[in-house]
Each structure stands twice: as structure tokens, then as C-alpha cells.
Amino acid sequence: METISKETLVGQLRDLGVRAGGVLLVHMSFREVRPVEGGPEGLIAALGEALGPEGTLAMPSATGDDETVFDPATTGNRDDLGIVADLFWRMPGVVRSPHFDAVSARGPKAEWITGGPFVLPPAAPESAIDRIRQAGGQVLLLGVGHHANTMLHLAELVGGAPYRSDFHYIDDAGREVHYGENDSCCEKFELADGWLRAEGALRAGRVGHAEARLMEAEDLVRIAAAKVKADPLIFLHGADEDCEECDEARESL
Ligand SMILES: [Zn+2]
């Protein structure tokens, strides 16, 4: 496969609608994007160039380890967030939230986005995810579906989704703290794609070799929260569909 140059990547990002000076939250599978000039670092550089010096780049940086105290300087990302996000939080100039449900960011709004209050469930109003929305941010899905689109967990909460599955983390004193999280298998998050397209709120294209989708966080939360408000269980598989995670969510009601 052809290696995509950094210049082409920047052009693809701009054509898709990534705004210079904006805030951009990226969820990606590098396997879908590659090969690109400079590898994962080259892709991060292209994202930075498309955003320009006044732009802020953000990526998910939560841990998958709920048995140890989270240390933002040493605790790795959850495996499924991919190698680019795991490389990004370790880079100079990147800041990371000081709690397990972390976001990492670089740029003028990075401190504000990652420095907000620790709220539960993850992605609740005032979380880093919500601050990305408040900052007029965009969400970019690179080679991944909406199941990876964390902003939809905020939309669930805003829309009043009632289910909560049991999760825990270890606090600074070493205690196991339980909390309820609006979680499911997230497969049905893909519904958001059609909702956004119907309102002309989704831009699709190609970045590197990956299918890329870009949306305004504000549009996504507004549109999806309205759907959840109308049908609070819209993101859960039905009881007859044999989905363990969605069943657990439904059993919490
Ligand atoms: Zn499910």
C-alpha cells in the first residue's frame, strides 16, 4: 500500500473540515490509517499541523487497570485506545487528567480540558469530554466506529439514559470505590451515524487509508441526547438479542 505523505495527511484533515485553531478529539485505529510518513509520530505531527499553533489536540487516555492507583505519569492507556493515543500522552508538552478516566491534550486549551473536576460517571457534564464540547470541539473517528465515540456517553447522560453497570477504581488511599456507569456493548452507538447524516452534521472522507468521520461535539450531543430522551434504552440491544453487556445495563433498572 502507498505511504501517505504528511503533506497529504494535513490536506485530507483540512478537506474533511478540521479547523485550524480548533479543539479536536481523535479516536483511531492506526492499523486502518497506515502506512503514513513518519508512522504514528508522523500522524500526530500531521494532526498538529492541521490544527495549527492555536489548536488543541486531545485523545482518550483512560486506564484499563481498575486494580491499582492511577498515576498520570506512569499508568498506561487501556489497550483498545491504540498505539497512537498511548504514544501521545507520553510526549513532551502533552498534559493528562490526574484521574483514571483520563484525557490527554496538547495546545492552548489542554490544561483547561484536562484540569476540570473529577466527575462520575466518566464523561458526565464537566468532565474533560464535556469540556471539549464546551470549547466548541470536534470529534474525529479515524478507522473506528461510533462504538469508540466517548462523547456519546455524555449524550446518554444528558438525554437521561437510566442504566448503570457496576465499575470500580482504586482511590489514592488504596480503597476500592464502586460507581455506576452508563455502559453497554456500545454497538448501537453506530445509530448516531445515520442521525448525524440526516441532519447534515457528519463529514466523511479519507485520512491516510482510513475511513474518517468528523462531527461537531455540540451537534453530536444535541442530536443523540434528543434520541435518548425520546427512547432512553435506544442504545441497548433488546432482551432477545443475547448481549451480555446490554443485559447487565437493563438489569440495573
Ligand atoms: Zn449490546
Side-chain angles (χ1 to χ4, degrees):
M1 242 189 311
E2 178 202 358
T3 297
I4 309 290
S5 72
K6 185 176 143 201
E7 196 188 339
T8 300
L9 284 172
V10 174
Q12 288 174 324
L13 289 162
R14 289 262 169 82
D15 288 347
L16 191 65
V18 169
R19 276 191 298 272
V23 172
L24 183 70
L25 173 64
V26 188
H27 300 282
M28 77 168 95
S29 167
F30 185 67
R31 196 177 304 150
E32 300 296 317
V33 182
R34 70 186 183 191
V36 299
E37 183 185 350
E41 291 92 342
L43 180 57
I44 293 170
L47 286 161
E49 205 170 309
L51 285 164
E54 297 306 313
T56 301
L57 176 61
M59 296 191 198
S61 198
T63 173
D65 178 1
D66 57 10
E67 298 303 328
T68 22
V69 179
F70 179 78
D71 179 348
T74 58
T75 306
N77 277 2
R78 226 170 63 200
D79 287 344
D80 64 347
L81 299 180
I83 58 163
V84 174
D86 198 54
L87 182 72
F88 181 63
W89 75 261
R90 300 169 198 271
M91 291 173 76
V94 175
V95 292
R96 192 182 191 202
S97 326
H99 49 76
F100 75 92
D101 177 41
V103 165
S104 55
R106 184 179 71 188
K109 295 209 164 74
E111 296 276 359
W112 182 73
I113 287 168
T114 60
F118 171 49
V119 290
L120 288 171
E126 286 309 318
S127 64
I129 293 296
D130 185 38
R131 286 193 163 192
I132 289 168
R133 180 197 62 81
Q134 290 177 38
Q138 298 175 302
V139 177
L140 175 61
L141 303 178
L142 273 188
V144 293
H146 287 277
H147 70 271
N149 197 342
T150 309
M151 196 65 67
L152 284 169
H153 287 299
L154 172 61
E156 285 179 302
L157 293 167
V158 171
Y163 39 86
R164 297 287 184 274
S165 296
D166 179 49
F167 286 85
H168 68 267
Y169 69 98
I170 307 296
D171 72 8
D172 291 341
R175 287 175 304 225
E176 189 173 299
V177 181
H178 285 256
Y179 63 94
E181 180 175 342
N182 47 304
D183 190 48
S184 68
C185 71
C186 298
E187 270 178 31
K188 291 227 169 186
F189 275 7
E190 205 56 42
L191 285 168
D193 209 69
W195 303 338
L196 289 162
R197 285 177 199 267
E199 300 217 15
L202 188 91
R203 300 189 63 164
R206 205 146 282 276
V207 172
H209 294 276
E211 184 193 347
R213 289 177 279 184
L214 183 76
M215 65 220 81
E216 304 296 322
E218 186 68 44
D219 288 343
L220 177 65
V221 172
R222 176 177 50 80
I223 292 167
K227 297 287 186 184
V228 171
K229 199 170 178 196
D231 178 0
L233 306 186
I234 197 164
F235 283 136
L236 301 187
H237 278 116
D240 54 351
E241 289 180 280
D242 246 353
C243 176
E244 201 176 313
E245 285 166 279
C246 290
D247 285 349
E248 187 188 342
R250 197 175 307 92
E251 279 157 19
S252 73
L253 300 176

